[in-house]
Amino acid sequence: MTKAVRPPAPISSERATGPGFADRGTESDEPDFAAIQQSPEFDLLRKRLRRFVFPMSALFFCWYMTFALFSAYGHGFMSRKVFGSVNMGTVFGLLQFVSTITIVLLYRGFADKKIDPQVDKVRELAGADKE
Amino acid sequence: MTVQIAAETTGSPLINVSVFVVFVLITLFIVYKATTRNQTAADYYAAGSAFSGVQNGIALSGDFLSAASFLGISGAIAVHGYDGFLYSVGWLVAWLVALLLVGERLRNTGRFTVGDVMAYRMKQRPVRAAAANATLVITFFYMLAQMAGAGGLIALLLNVHSKGGQALVITGVGLVMVFYVLVGGMKGTTWVQIIKAGLLLICVTFMSVFIVGKFGFSFSAILDQAAAGSPLGKSLLEPGGWYGDGAMDKLDFVSLSLALVLGISSLPHVLMRFYTVPNAKEARRSVVWCSWSMFLFYLGILVVGYGAAAMVGPDAILEAPGGENSAAPLLAFKIGGAVLLGIVAAVAFATILAVVAGLTLTASASFAHDVYANVIREGKADARSEIRVARLTAIAVGFLAIIGGIVTNGQNVAFLVSLALALAASANLSTILYTLYWKRFNTTGTLWSIYGGLGSGLILILFSPAISGSSTAIFKGVDFHWFPLTNPGIVSIPLSFLCGFLGTVLSKDPADPEKQAEMEVRALTGIGSKI
C-alpha cells in the first residue's frame, strides 16, 4: 500500500474540526483511505472484529433480556429460594455480573492478540506510523 | 423514632458542612493546579487527550457513579428491594456496549463531541445541529436528576426543610460547579471525577464490608433482616416490589431494562470521555478499568441497599428529609456516626458536583463546537471565540440546571436518570451504530434516526404518567397522559432504528463512499486521527 499524494481538497474544507484546530498540520499527505479500505489486510481486520463483536453483543444482550423478562414475567421462578433467603432472581442478577466481567476479559484478550497486531500491520502498510 | 433520627442526623450539620467545604477546597486547588494556562480547544474539551486509560477509566466510572447510582440505587434497593437491584445489573451490563461497539471506534473518529462522529461522513450543518439538539436535551434531563439529588441531600445534611432554603443551597451547588468548568475545563473536571470516584469506591466498600461482617458474613442474614423490617415483607426480595403486577407495570419494567442497558453508551458526557485518552488502546483500557470498578461498586451497593433496609428500616428512610435518596447517608450515620455521615455526604455532594460539571462541559462543548463553530460560523470560527462561546454556554447551562433542580427537587433520581437514558439510547445509539457499521447510511437516515428517536421519546415522556396523572408525577393535580408507560424506551429505541433504516433506504442521496472509506479506516485503525 502506498500512501497517495492526492490532495484531499474538498474533504478538508468540510472537515469537522475547522481551521481553528489546525494542529493536524500536514493535511496534504493524507493516506489513500479507499485503497486501504480495499486492501486484504484491512478486510481481514474488519472481518475479525465484526465476527467477534457482533455475536458477542447479541449474546450479552439476549442473556440480559432473558434476565429482564424473567424479572418482569417470571415472578414465581425468580422468587424460588436457592439457598437461605437468596432467591433465583438475585442469583440470576449476580450471574449477569459474572458474565459481564467474563466478556470484558475475553474481549481484552481477543483485542490484544488478534486486533492490535492486525491494526499495526495495516498502519504499517499505510505508512501511518512514520515518526 | 423518625423524629429522633431526623434530629440525630441534623445534630452535626457543622461536621457535615466542614467535611464538604474541605473537599471543595481541595478539589478547587487541584483544578487550579491542573489547569493549563492559555487553554486551546483541545485542552478545554478533551484535556489535550493526555489522560491514561487507567485515569480515564476511573473518571469514566466516576461519571457514571452519579448521585443516581449512589443515592438513588441504594435507596431504591432499601425501599423497593429487588426492583432496585435491576437498575444496577442494567448499568453494569451496559458497559459492554461501550467496550465492544462504541468506545474505541468513537475515539478514533471524533475529536470533541458526539456530533464529530455523527456528521463525519454526512452533510455537516443539519447533522451537527441535530446532534447538538440531542446532546442538549439528553444532558438537560440528566442534569435535572443530579440537581434533584442535590436538593434531597441538602435537606438531609443541613436539616433545611423549607423549599426556599433548599433552593438557595441548590443555587450554591450550581455556582460551584460552573466555577469548576470555567476554570478547569475537561482536565480539572476529570481530576475531580478521579478523586471522587476513588473516595466513593472506598466508602461503599468500607460500608459493605462492615455490614457483611456485622451479619456474620451471611448475605442471607442481611436479606432476612431487611425483609423483616420492610412493609413489603418477603416480597422485598422478589420482583415486582416497585413496578407492581399489572400488565402495563411489567411492560414498563421491560422498557426500563432496555433503556438502562442501551442508554449508558449513548450518553454524550460518557462518550465525550473517550476523547480524553490518546488512542483506541487506551480507550479500551479505560472501559476495562471502568467495568471493574462498576462491578465492585454495584456489588457493594447491593449490600448497602439491603443493609440500609435491615439496619435503618424503610419507614425511617422514607420519613427522613430527602426520602429514598437518603438511605445511604442514614446507613453511614448508623455505622460510623456523624463523621462517616459527613464523609459519605461530602462524597455524594462531590459526586453531584463532578457529574454536573461534566454535563455542563458536554453541553457547552456541543453548543460551541457543533452549533456555533460549525453551523452558525460554518467552520470559520477561530478557536478563541469558540472557547469563549463554550464558557458562556456553560454559564447559561448552569443557570438552567439550577432552575430545573429547584423544580424537580424530591423526585427519585434513579428514575429521572432512566428517562435521560431512554432519550440517549433513542437519539444516539442507533445513529452511532449505523454510521460506524452500515455503509449505506446517509444524511437523511441520520436525521431521521436522531429526530425520530428524540422526538418520539420526548412526546411519550410528556404524555406519560411520569409527568401527569399519577401519584408520583412531576406535575400533580393535572392529568393529560395517554401513554401508559413511564419509560418510553421500548417504543422509542426500536423506532429510532427503524427511522434510520427507512430514512436511508427511501432517500435519494447516496452515502459518500470516499468519506465512508475514510471513516471506516480511521475508526478501525486510527489512521488519520493524528494522535
Side-chain angles (χ1 to χ4, degrees), chain B residues 179-514:
Chain B
F179 191 73
Y180 277 141
V181 175
L182 291 184
V183 177
M186 190 51 142
K187 206 178 199 176
T189 312
T190 304
W191 274 114
V192 175
Q193 285 295 14
I194 292 173
I195 298 168
K196 173 221 101 181
L199 284 175
L200 193 55
L201 276 171
I202 293 169
C203 267
V204 168
T205 311
F206 172 77
M207 280 164 76
S208 52
V209 168
F210 180 89
I211 295 165
V212 172
K214 189 175 164 64
F215 284 89
F217 296 95
S218 160
F219 185 55
S220 179
I222 303 175
L223 295 182
D224 282 334
Q225 180 74 29
S230 168
L232 291 169
K234 279 285 173 201
S235 60
L236 181 78
L237 311 176
E238 295 162 9
W242 194 350
Y243 274 76
D245 268 329
M248 277 307 152
D249 298 328
K250 288 179 175 175
L251 199 61
D252 212 356
F253 195 90
V254 177
S255 186
L256 170 77
S257 314
L258 206 59
L260 295 179
V261 79
L262 299 178
I264 291 188
S265 311
S266 330
L267 285 170
H269 70 287
V270 169
L271 294 176
M272 208 176 149
R273 281 236 148 269
F274 288 112
Y275 300 133
T276 65
V277 291
N279 55 42
K281 261 183 224 177
E282 292 298 317
R284 184 190 312 144
R285 277 181 77 198
S286 53
V287 189
V288 171
W289 272 82
C290 175
S291 304
W292 274 114
S293 67
M294 296 308 244
F295 180 86
L296 275 181
F297 180 80
Y298 283 127
L299 277 186
I301 276 294
L302 181 65
V303 176
V304 167
Y306 281 126
M311 291 173 67
V312 183
D315 291 332
I317 293 170
L318 285 176
E319 303 245 348
E324 265 173 61
N325 300 333
S326 59
L330 285 177
L331 179 67
F333 183 73
K334 202 82 172 187
I335 292 177
V339 176
L340 189 62
L341 172 68
I343 292 172
V344 166
V347 171
F349 244 139
T351 298
I352 294 172
L353 274 181
V355 172
V356 176
L359 290 165
T360 309
L361 190 80
T362 307
S364 72
S366 171
F367 184 80
H369 183 62
D370 290 332
V371 179
Y372 173 75
N374 283 293
V375 176
I376 299 176
R377 303 290 302 271
E378 296 182 48
K380 293 181 195 73
D382 65 294
R384 281 185 60 198
S385 69
E386 187 182 317
I387 293 189
R388 197 175 60 239
V389 171
R391 292 214 159 105
L392 286 174
T393 318
I395 295 173
V397 170
F399 180 72
L400 279 177
I402 292 169
I403 307 272
I406 293 169
V407 172
T408 50
N409 191 357
Q411 292 273 324
N412 180 296
V413 292
F415 162 72
L416 283 173
V417 160
S418 72
L419 294 185
L421 288 174
L423 286 175
S426 311
N428 288 348
L429 186 70
S430 52
T431 318
I432 292 174
L433 291 185
Y434 277 145
T435 200
L436 285 175
Y437 297 105
W438 187 26
K439 224 172 183 168
R440 271 189 71 188
F441 196 51
N442 61 19
T443 302
T444 316
T446 308
L447 294 175
W448 281 33
S449 70
I450 296 177
Y451 286 123
L454 187 69
S456 63
L458 278 176
I459 290 170
L460 294 180
I461 289 177
L462 182 64
F463 295 104
S464 77
I467 298 291
S468 72
S470 77
S471 55
T472 51
I474 292 179
F475 298 107
K476 294 185 173 58
V478 282
D479 183 2
F480 48 85
H481 89 280
W482 48 259
F483 183 65
L485 308 177
T486 52
N487 195 299
I490 201 166
V491 178
S492 61
I493 298 172
L495 188 74
S496 77
F497 276 95
L498 185 70
C499 284
F501 175 76
L502 289 178
T504 304
V505 174
L506 296 177
S507 81
K508 290 189 181 64
D509 62 323
D512 178 347
E514 233 172 88

Side-chain angles (χ1 to χ4, degrees), chain B residues 54-202:
Chain B
V54 181
Q55 288 169 329
N56 189 50
I58 294 170
L60 203 53
S61 61
D63 251 329
F64 211 72
L65 298 178
S66 57
S69 322
F70 183 46
L71 302 176
I73 301 286
S74 55
I77 293 177
V79 175
H80 306 294
Y82 185 82
D83 285 7
F85 177 51
L86 185 96
Y87 273 92
S88 44
V89 174
W91 281 344
L92 177 71
V93 176
W95 288 98
L96 290 175
V97 181
L99 179 74
L100 296 175
L101 295 169
V102 179
E104 293 168 50
R105 262 59 81 193
L106 190 90
R107 169 65 200 87
N108 279 340
T109 16
R111 286 211 72 194
F112 300 140
T113 63
V114 183
D116 284 347
V117 176
M118 289 180 174
Y120 196 92
R121 59 192 177 97
M122 310 298 169
K123 283 198 196 92
Q124 292 291 315
R125 290 184 69 188
V127 173
R128 277 189 184 271
N133 279 333
T135 296
L136 293 174
V137 170
I138 295 160
T139 307
F140 181 70
F141 263 84
Y142 203 87
M143 196 157 350
L144 280 186
Q146 303 300 321
M147 296 304 275
L153 197 62
I154 290 153
L156 179 77
L157 285 182
L158 309 180
N159 201 21
V160 182
H161 289 273
S162 76
K163 287 282 172 196
Q166 292 181 12
L168 208 65
V169 190
I170 291 179
T171 311
V173 172
L175 291 179
V176 176
M177 128 241 140
V178 171
F179 191 73
Y180 277 141
V181 175
L182 291 184
V183 177
M186 190 51 142
K187 206 178 199 176
T189 312
T190 304
W191 274 114
V192 175
Q193 285 295 14
I194 292 173
I195 298 168
K196 173 221 101 181
L199 284 175
L200 193 55
L201 276 171
I202 293 169

